[in-house]
Amino acid sequence: MSRIQSVFQNLQLAGRKALIPFITAGDPDGELTVPLMRALVAGGADIIELGVPFSDPMADGPSIQRASERALAGGMSLAKVLDIVRAFRAGDTATPVVLMGYANPIEAMGQAAFTAAAQEAGVDGVLVVDYPPEECADFTAGLRAAGLDPIFLLAPTSSEQRFRDVAGAGGGYIYYVSLKGVTGAANIDFDELARRIPRVRAAVDMPVAVGFGIRDAAGAKKIGALADAVVIGSRIVEEIQASPRERAAANVETFVRGVRAALDEAAGATP
Amino acid sequence: MPMTDMQQYSLPDAQGHFGPYGGVFVAETLMPALAELRAAYEASRTDPAFIAEFGHELKHYVGRPSPIYHARRLSEKLGGAQILLKREDLNHTGAHKVNNCIGQALLARRMGKPRVIAETGAGQHGVATATVAARYGFECVVYMGSEDVKRQAANVYRMKLLGASVVPVESGSKTLKDALNEAMRDWVTNVSNTFYIIGTVAGPHPYPAMVRDFQTVIGKECLAQMPETFGRQPDAVIACVGGGSNAMGIFHPYIPHEDVRLIGVEAAGEGIATGRHAAPLTANARPGVLHGNRTYLMQDENGQITETHSISAGLDYPGVGPEHAWLKDSGRAEYVAVTDGEALDAFHALCRFEGIIPALESAHAVAHAMKIAPTLGGDKLLLVNLSGRGDKDIHTVGECSGIRF
């Protein structure tokens, strides 16, 4: 059983929901990323999504765009992100790490070389925003053969047929994009999600995480009542940016702890 | 594909692939929108009513067909092959861009989308999109890098006169590629009521094939005009390549005519060796994935897209349409590059010898024709796509001569 599967199984047994924070590797600098990852875990993260910065992040809103720019200005690269995962793994063998990013850095490294390096570094899953399943069948097969989960997105525009097709190609969990828009957008519609998420869960045989536009404990609580996992990215990236460097890890930990508490409270209240 | 199969050339395949290039590399939210667009385009491209309306608009609104003009004085001065100019600069709005915008606007109307968006570099595609939006009554938003907004104030005002909103893009390098990123972000947000009019033969399938098809009116006219006026087809067809829409428009109908050389001219900027250029094909850049398709890309060793340079904003793009990538690998088309300086020389030559002010983009194609014409016999015919007029560039050219307006 993969690390991601066992996390979801244990949470399910405990009646809790997964909290999946996202940070951009190398923001504000490469030295701080491992301490930030440890702070996420200390605050109650179950899985970490680690953003691989790219020069042209088309699916991201301003907060993560700026984070990518800062990381690239500091010399971050896909190879260095793998070094960060390796360093994180030296002190934490339990928390799954999912790399989230865009296709071209992987294309430049070579798909097979990336998969081997990611496995060796201790990566658990890979989400490539601009690799829909039909464009990356070989890559997906390679990830599976290496024991890594290929994680795919579903969106408010996806049909029920698409739910099944995408889930059939993926592993780990399905990442349901909560809104039509970019990461960190403010147009999330909880009523619409309350209609959609149960249909996604009925169609796919794997945990469903919901992300994009969830900004606080209250939003996380609402999503936690519907889905198996909550992803929070832009809000945490903003917390890092707003904090003095030496306070960033502590502030992130405090923020995540607040979300964790709200999620667990909601889970406890759900029969 | 061996050369003999060029007679049956029919790429892309159903998934939008030109060999290893092209495809649909977008976030999941856009996948259904692209499927909807493919279906609408497939239904329209063979619909006689759609074809008739497109033809009517090209004739009465754009002013087609555009003539082929024999640049006699320039050819005599060079003392070699005859240079013929396909006059896309005479179209309404002053460039080939409008052909595609009309096609996509008619499609947007069929699909019931009340709002269109576009990206633009120098502003030519933005102006063409704003023009058709006014013509058909769409709300129109154009994304433009903030650096380009500063450099192209007149085109920004033109778009506003035509009723469009122009949004300056502050992210990344603040130029064309970033404008494209921002247009994609708008589309993903407003996908239900918005049609994205991409200006070149790049982006996710079906854009490379669809934009090409709308632009092939250029090459189809040439196929008919050349024998009528010059007694035969040309020996070579020459066009500039940024994303490559004017080149695909004139190349595509000639692909099965294997005795006609197809030559794409990229922007060598300050020289290929300096790294400050926008010539991914000529420089043998590594293929990668950007803006929805796989193609040759200007990038660093870590796969980050690098900044490009060209005196011509319309060629200043790190990628190239995937069909050009395929045509390069297959050998059916050749790709070369000319520097800023060579393009400027050609700009001045066409002004002085023919009384035609070409766009700096098109001046790249003219420059290459001027380079090879003296090496060829006087009976050889070089057909150059003069894709746009150069009024928009007089500030840039003036500044190179130390003139401030």
Side-chain angles (χ1 to χ4, degrees):
Chain A
M1 185 183 294
S2 77
R3 256 193 295 251
I4 292 176
Q5 281 173 319
S6 73
V7 161
F8 277 107
Q9 196 175 62
N10 292 339
L11 286 167
Q12 196 181 11
L13 290 172
R16 298 166 73 220
K17 300 303 172 85
L19 175 55
I20 310 182
F22 168 101
I23 59 172
T24 298
D27 172 44
D29 57 70
E31 295 293 305
L32 202 58
T33 302
V34 171
L36 284 169
M37 292 170 79
R38 301 221 189 282
L40 296 174
V41 175
D46 298 296
I47 296 172
I48 294 173
E49 283 187 359
L50 190 59
V52 180
F54 180 50
S55 53
D56 295 78
M58 279 177 293
D60 286 302
S63 297
I64 295 176
Q65 286 175 42
R66 296 294 111 78
S68 296
E69 287 171 12
R70 289 190 295 269
L72 292 175
M76 191 46 52
S77 65
L78 179 53
K80 288 182 183 170
V81 173
L82 294 174
D83 291 341
I84 285 171
V85 175
R86 205 173 288 116
F88 173 76
R89 269 289 162 255
D92 185 330
T93 54
T95 311
V97 174
V98 172
L99 296 188
M100 182 168 181
Y102 294 82
N104 204 53
I106 293 173
E107 300 251 319
M109 184 177 283
Q111 293 180 344
F114 163 76
T115 299
Q119 180 195 35
E120 183 272 323
V123 170
D124 297 282
V126 179
L127 196 173
V128 184
V129 174
D130 50 352
Y131 268 166
E134 44 272 79
E135 292 287 2
C136 63
D138 291 349
F139 179 61
T140 301
L143 288 176
R144 283 186 191 288
L148 303 182
D149 283 318
I151 294 164
F152 289 107
L153 302 169
L154 283 172
T157 52
S158 307
S159 66
E160 303 216 0
Q161 180 61 47
R162 188 79 185 157
F163 293 168
R164 290 186 288 275
D165 292 348
V166 170
Y173 54 93
I174 278 289
Y175 186 133
Y176 185 81
V177 176
S178 69
L179 48 80
K180 290 178 192 162
V182 293
T183 53
N187 56 333
I188 192 164
D189 179 345
F190 288 103
D191 292 340
E192 174 66 12
L193 284 169
R195 282 189 293 274
R196 290 277 289 179
I197 304 295
R199 292 158 75 171
V200 178
R201 293 184 74 181
V204 313
D205 187 21
M206 132 174 57
V208 175
V210 175
F212 279 43
I214 301 160
R215 302 193 55 83
D216 51 24
K221 195 169 166 177
K222 286 186 202 167
I223 297 297
L226 297 166
D228 303 294
V230 177
V231 185
I232 301 189
S234 297
R235 177 63 184 78
I236 295 174
V237 166
E238 288 160 20
E239 187 74 32
I240 294 168
Q241 207 230 331
S243 302
R245 187 179 187 279
E246 66 280 5
R247 291 288 311 152
N251 288 354
V252 161
E253 184 179 330
T254 303
F255 175 77
V256 171
R257 182 166 291 125
V259 177
R260 172 85 264 168
L263 259 188
D264 288 347
E265 192 187 303
T270 307
Chain B
M1 185 183 286
M3 287 294 280
T4 47
D5 290 350
M6 292 297 167
Q7 305 302 320
Q8 285 89 41
Y9 181 79
S10 64
L11 293 178
D13 66 17
Q15 286 73 44
H17 294 127
F18 301 87
Y21 307 112
V24 187
F25 292 89
V26 297
E28 188 60 32
T29 309
L30 292 177
M31 294 296 282
L34 288 162
E36 184 194 8
L37 177 60
R38 279 197 297 280
Y41 179 57
E42 280 309 311
S44 301
R45 64 193 293 247
T46 50
D47 175 356
F50 184 87
I51 295 166
E53 185 169 17
F54 183 50
H56 182 273
E57 294 293 278
L58 290 180
K59 181 175 179 187
H60 296 280
Y61 190 64
V62 178
R64 304 201 69 93
S66 65
I68 296 176
Y69 166 77
H70 184 181
R72 248 181 245 280
R73 286 195 70 219
L74 183 65
S75 305
E76 275 167 23
K77 159 95 172 122
L78 294 165
Q82 303 306 306
I83 295 178
L84 313 176
L85 304 175
K86 176 62 173 169
R87 299 291 308 275
E88 290 299 299
D89 61 316
L90 297 177
N91 292 338
H92 177 44
T93 73
H96 73 290
K97 291 286 187 193
V98 71
N99 302 327
N100 165 52
C101 288
I102 285 177
Q104 292 198 46
L106 293 176
L107 206 50
R109 200 177 59 185
R110 281 202 160 201
M111 294 172 73
K113 307 282 185 185
R115 180 174 180 269
V116 298
I117 57 172
E119 82 293 341
T120 198
Q124 290 311 100
H125 175 58
V127 168
T129 302
T131 299
V132 300
R135 162 77 184 82
Y136 300 105
F138 299 122
E139 180 192 348
C140 178
V141 177
V142 177
Y143 290 91
M144 188 168 186
S146 59
E147 286 298 315
D148 291 330
V149 167
K150 276 184 235 157
R151 290 188 290 210
Q152 300 287 342
N155 266 344
V156 172
Y157 184 57
R158 240 172 233 132
M159 288 183 262
K160 289 180 179 168
L161 282 175
L162 292 161
S165 309
V166 179
V167 180
V169 176
E170 300 287 352
S171 58
S173 59
K174 304 180 173 61
T175 59
L176 176 58
K177 79 175 176 70
D178 308 286
L180 219 152
N181 294 337
E182 206 56 36
M184 284 278 189
R185 293 180 187 120
D186 178 312
W187 199 29
V188 90
T189 305
N190 302 294
V191 61
S192 26
N193 76 340
T194 296
F195 191 106
Y196 181 12
I197 300 187
I198 292 184
T200 192
V201 287
H205 181 59
Y207 283 98
M210 178 173 72
V211 174
R212 173 201 71 197
D213 290 348
F214 289 138
Q215 292 292 3
T216 54
V217 64
I218 305 172
K220 286 175 186 162
E221 284 175 6
C222 292
L223 275 180
Q225 290 167 319
M226 284 299 302
E228 278 168 19
T229 315
F230 302 94
R232 65 183 182 88
Q233 298 299 342
D235 296 287
V237 176
I238 303 173
C240 65
V241 177
S245 70
N246 90 82
M248 275 322 308
I250 196 166
F251 285 179
H252 188 262
Y254 278 102
I255 288 174
H257 295 252
E258 291 177 59
D259 47 349
V260 178
R261 286 173 68 191
L262 306 177
I263 306 174
V265 186
E266 295 186 299
E270 295 173 7
I272 299 288
T274 68
R276 287 180 52 78
H277 60 84
L281 294 173
T282 310
N284 276 312
R286 197 174 30 199
V289 169
L290 180 70
H291 294 153
N293 65 111
R294 185 180 279 124
T295 188
Y296 284 78
L297 284 180
M298 306 263 300
Q299 55 182 308
D300 68 15
E301 68 279 11
N302 296 314
Q304 307 297 339
I305 308 307
T306 50
E307 285 191 33
T308 52
H309 173 81
S310 169
I311 192 170
S312 146
L315 301 182
D316 209 351
Y317 179 69
V320 63
E323 195 164 15
H324 287 294
W326 187 87
L327 286 172
K328 170 186 164 74
D329 287 7
S330 73
R332 177 63 190 94
E334 311 154 47
Y335 294 87
V336 297
V338 310
T339 63
D340 290 350
E342 291 168 327
L344 271 172
D345 290 346
F347 178 97
H348 288 295
L350 207 61
C351 289
R352 297 297 292 271
F353 291 106
E354 299 292 349
I356 295 171
I357 303 177
L360 278 172
E361 289 79 8
S362 324
H364 284 71
V366 175
H368 187 70
M370 289 172 60
K371 219 185 256 186
I372 63 172
T375 69
L376 301 168
D379 59 333
K380 298 292 183 192
L381 303 177
L382 303 180
L383 175 61
V384 176
N385 198 6
L386 198 71
S387 54
R389 70 175 185 226
D391 307 52
K392 69 181 176 61
D393 293 316
I394 57 171
H395 283 81
T396 306
V397 174
E399 277 172 25
C400 293
S401 310
I403 296 163
R404 289 212 153 267
F405 292 89

